[in-house]
Amino acid sequence: MESDTVTTPFGRRPMTLALLLKQRRGEAIAAGTARNKWKLFRSVCEARAGLGVTDRALTVLDALLSFYPEDELSSEKGLVVFPSNVQLSLRARGMAAATLRRHIAVLVEAGLISRKDSPNGKRYVRRAGGIDQAYGFSLAPLLARASEIEAMAAGLAADRQILRAMKERLTICRRDIAKLIAAAVEEAVPGEWERIYSLFHALLERIPKAATTENLPPLLKELEMLRLAIINILESREKMQIASTSESQLERHIQNSNSESLSESEPGLETAQEARRDDQPRSGLKDDDQGRRGNGGQGLRAVRTDAGRLKSFPLGTVLKACPDIADYGPGGAIGSWRDLMTAAVTVRTMLRVGPAAYEDACSVMGPENAATVMACILQRGGCITSAGGYLRDLTRRAERGEFAPGPMLTALLRAKDPPIAEVS
């Protein structure tokens, strides 16, 4: 609905083109538009910053809405309220008349209400012939801008949520960086910690007093990058310590293991039980595989030593079945079991296998066989989702006498070479 007339101000207040445009725009209400006045007022409160009104002006608007008899503002009903100055002051928490006039002017300037002055400037309603002619303050501009105000309120509420989340991230990031630097200095971790702390302090000084969604994200990004850099330094140090510890433990395993297990010419491969055959189909291997000659041409079977320890495979067989492990040996090559076990430690770290899981495998299978299994896992990396979980499962099965590396090596060798007929 759009008014056919305009209302000029009473008294000495001048008429301006801006006032005319606001009045016309405020009266342009689509037919059927209706809003709950208190929900709309809540949206105005949330969008206060975007509308340019003060909290005292909102108190006056609250009082004006209380004079509207219905809960729903509707374009089909009159939208003019006509309270006296005394009653309006009472409902505005006792606001003085001069203050009341000033904040009414703020609401008019913001385009939330408009004046509809009578010939003598008084506020009243005249009822004649079923037609009410009211003079006072029109709430039509508020209803006409309802959709705009609601969208503005939703956007500002979302911005407040984003800003709150950014402030929380900033607080956590500051705490993390301060405590990580303190921990690094306390534990004497090598690094340029004085320079890092100076950089951290400089970033903190740039935190704005009035944070917004525009000025906070770049600073937050720099702080999070600094935290990530510190974490990477500390994790690199931890990985180096774990690798050093694992290599030291492997050296002790090597020294304590049966000297026969280090022989690279051992003809047989270990098995769960001496009398049990592998579940894999029997197949022959090439002549250069010495394991075939020790197992009667039945493929890679595994036997236990008299002491109960699983025997290791010939190193040449392991490297033939798992050539990828050679890239991780000292100098990119493997010439001994010690080289293979060193490479296995590197691969273990790369595949995120925990040190405890690998130590358990060394204890149950022996260090040579654990290294062999790691080489097989690396070779079959594309088929294994969790190398750590797979190794722990194999260790448990080996402890129960249900697993030996023989079938794994056989499968890898068979994948490289076509099977040859078995000689009966």
Side-chain angles (χ1 to χ4, degrees), residues 1-6 21 23-31 75 140:
M1 179 184 71
E2 187 170 314
S3 176
D4 294 331
T5 62
V6 297
L21 293 176
Q23 191 177 120
R24 298 293 287 176
R25 189 182 302 117
E27 297 293 336
I29 305 175
S75 60

Side-chain angles (χ1 to χ4, degrees), residues 222-233:
E222 291 186 54
L223 283 169
E224 289 180 337
M225 289 177 63
L226 179 60
R227 177 177 61 183
L228 180 61
I230 295 172
I231 292 174
N232 288 338
I233 293 173

Side-chain angles (χ1 to χ4, degrees), residues 108-337:
V108 172
E109 182 65 24
L112 297 179
I113 64 171
S114 63
R115 288 186 176 92
K116 190 173 182 181
D117 291 342
S118 66
N120 61 2
K122 302 295 184 180
R123 303 181 200 121
Y124 59 87
V125 61
R126 176 172 293 154
R127 297 180 173 87
I131 300 176
D132 296 345
Q133 185 64 41
Y135 298 97
F137 301 106
S138 175
L139 301 174
L142 179 64
L143 183 59
R145 298 182 63 188
S147 298
E148 175 194 348
I149 292 170
E150 289 165 350
M152 187 182 300
L156 291 173
D159 287 344
R160 285 194 294 270
Q161 291 289 342
I162 293 172
L163 184 59
R164 185 181 298 113
M166 284 183 180
K167 288 181 177 179
E168 291 175 354
R169 287 169 56 192
L170 181 65
T171 300
I172 294 173
C173 193
R174 289 176 58 182
R175 181 185 67 198
D176 291 348
I177 293 174
K179 293 197 173 185
L180 288 172
I181 292 176
V185 173
E186 180 71 21
E187 299 183 19
V189 176
E192 300 178 354
W193 298 113
E194 291 185 4
R195 184 184 66 81
I196 292 175
Y197 181 78
S198 298
L199 178 59
F200 174 50
H201 186 68
L203 290 174
L204 293 184
E205 290 182 342
R206 288 171 48 195
I207 296 177
K209 292 183 179 179
T212 66
T213 54
E214 287 77 25
N215 60 21
L216 203 56
L219 180 61
L220 179 59
K221 183 177 180 181
E222 291 186 54
L223 283 169
E224 289 180 337
M225 289 177 63
L226 179 60
R227 177 177 61 183
L228 180 61
I230 295 172
I231 292 174
N232 288 338
I233 293 173
L234 298 179
E235 285 184 345
S236 298
R237 176 70 175 175
E238 181 183 4
K239 289 179 181 178
M240 290 174 61
Q241 290 177 343
I242 291 174
S244 176
T245 302
S246 299
E247 290 179 7
S248 175
Q249 292 171 344
L250 281 176
E251 288 293 334
R252 292 196 295 271
H253 279 301
I254 294 171
Q255 294 172 2
N256 296 333
S257 62
N258 193 328
S259 59
E260 291 184 0
S261 66
L262 294 177
S263 172
E264 295 180 8
S265 61
E266 191 68 37
L269 301 175
E270 67 276 13
T271 188
Q273 297 177 356
E274 186 171 348
R276 178 183 295 180
R277 295 180 179 271
D278 291 325
D279 294 335
Q280 301 289 335
R282 295 183 299 170
S283 63
L285 299 176
K286 287 192 173 181
D287 293 338
D288 57 352
D289 186 356
Q290 299 178 25
R292 174 186 166 194
R293 188 170 63 247
N295 287 292
Q298 297 176 0
L300 293 179
R301 297 181 55 204
V303 296
R304 290 186 179 271
T305 63
D306 295 337
R309 180 182 292 276
L310 295 173
K311 284 189 176 182
S312 62
F313 287 80
L315 181 61
T317 302
V318 176
L319 295 179
K320 181 180 179 183
C322 309
D324 291 352
I325 193 70
D327 296 335
Y328 300 90
I334 293 177
S336 65
W337 278 108

Side-chain angles (χ1 to χ4, degrees), residues 7-15 19 115-122:
T7 303
T8 56
F10 172 78
R12 290 178 296 178
R13 293 194 306 271
M15 184 65 181
L19 182 61
R115 288 186 176 92
K116 190 173 182 181
D117 291 342
S118 66
N120 61 2
K122 302 295 184 180

